[in-house]
Amino acid sequence: MSNIADNIKHILTELPEGVRLIAVSKFHPVEAIEEAYAAGQRIFGESKVQEMTTKFETLPSDIEWHFIGHLQSNKIKYMAPYVSLIHGVDSFKLLSEINKHAVKAKRVINCLLQIHIAEEDTKFGFSTDECREMLNSDEWKSLSNVSICGLMGMATFTDDTEQINREFHSLHQFFEEAKTTWFADSTHFCELSMGMSDDYPIAIKNGSTLVRIGSKIFGQRNY
Ligand SMILES: *Cc1c(COP(=O)(O)O)cnc(C)c1O
């Protein structure tokens, strides 16, 4: 058995019911994804639209492609026909752009709103106040072809596990607030995407439903 298959098996034993694994395959070749696929993995995460689209065209059609990178609006059209979930939506403008391309592609595109929870200002996302403001404005409700399925966030890159815990906890609290305040009637708003190779156990303790794990499966990336 390959390392990749071993790594996936190991991680799966650590995930409770209701937590799904996204194998983050960015910068790794198609062959690595094929190994993961052979081990049963079907959800893959990518951070560049072009790279994801090439892989989508090459690999089996029952793969769910999740876009986890920072999204530029001029790239949406390439993935609109096939993407399963876009994790990093951080403005109403981007959401309405996605909607436009979803209409053209005759699909409903699932999206997560990215919330800025880290101390670093290099990470993208809405502040909770910006997000409240957008959701209060009601404009998003008229977007017929996007479905807001939950929230996504990244913790600060630090060894301080208490800090990571606080950040994931705050995201979970805002997730609960959003669910009761704006999505009480929605059956779709149920995903909380948080946790990466170094912090997913803390994310799971705080209610994550989607962990995005790259290096723990595929090894180090060569950028
Ligand atoms: C690259 C990336 C990951 C995976 O990171 P690892 O530390 O390799 O597990 C998860 N989420 C996002 C948003 C990423 O860009």
Side-chain angles (χ1 to χ4, degrees), residues 98-99 102-104 106-110 143-147:
I98 295 169
N99 185 65
V103 169
K104 277 190 203 151
K106 299 194 170 66
R107 299 182 68 217
V108 171
I109 297 183
N110 297 322
L143 302 176
S144 55
N145 289 52
V146 288
S147 174

Side-chain angles (χ1 to χ4, degrees), residues 134-147:
M134 188 200 84
L135 292 170
N136 276 330
S137 83
D138 273 359
E139 274 180 291
W140 59 277
K141 288 185 182 162
S142 64
L143 302 176
S144 55
N145 289 52
V146 288
S147 174

Side-chain angles (χ1 to χ4, degrees), residues 15 18 25 43 62 67 72 89 92 135 144 186 200 212 221:
L15 304 187
S25 48
I43 310 177
D62 63 341
F67 187 78
Q72 296 161 289
V89 179
F92 176 76
L135 292 170
S144 55
S186 160
Y200 69 91
R212 311 177 308 268
R221 290 177 286 273

Side-chain angles (χ1 to χ4, degrees), residues 24 26 68 152 154 196-197 212-215 221:
V24 176
K26 62 186 187 194
I68 63 169
M152 178 265 205
M154 288 167 87
M196 305 172 33
S197 288
R212 311 177 308 268
I213 300 182
S215 40
R221 290 177 286 273

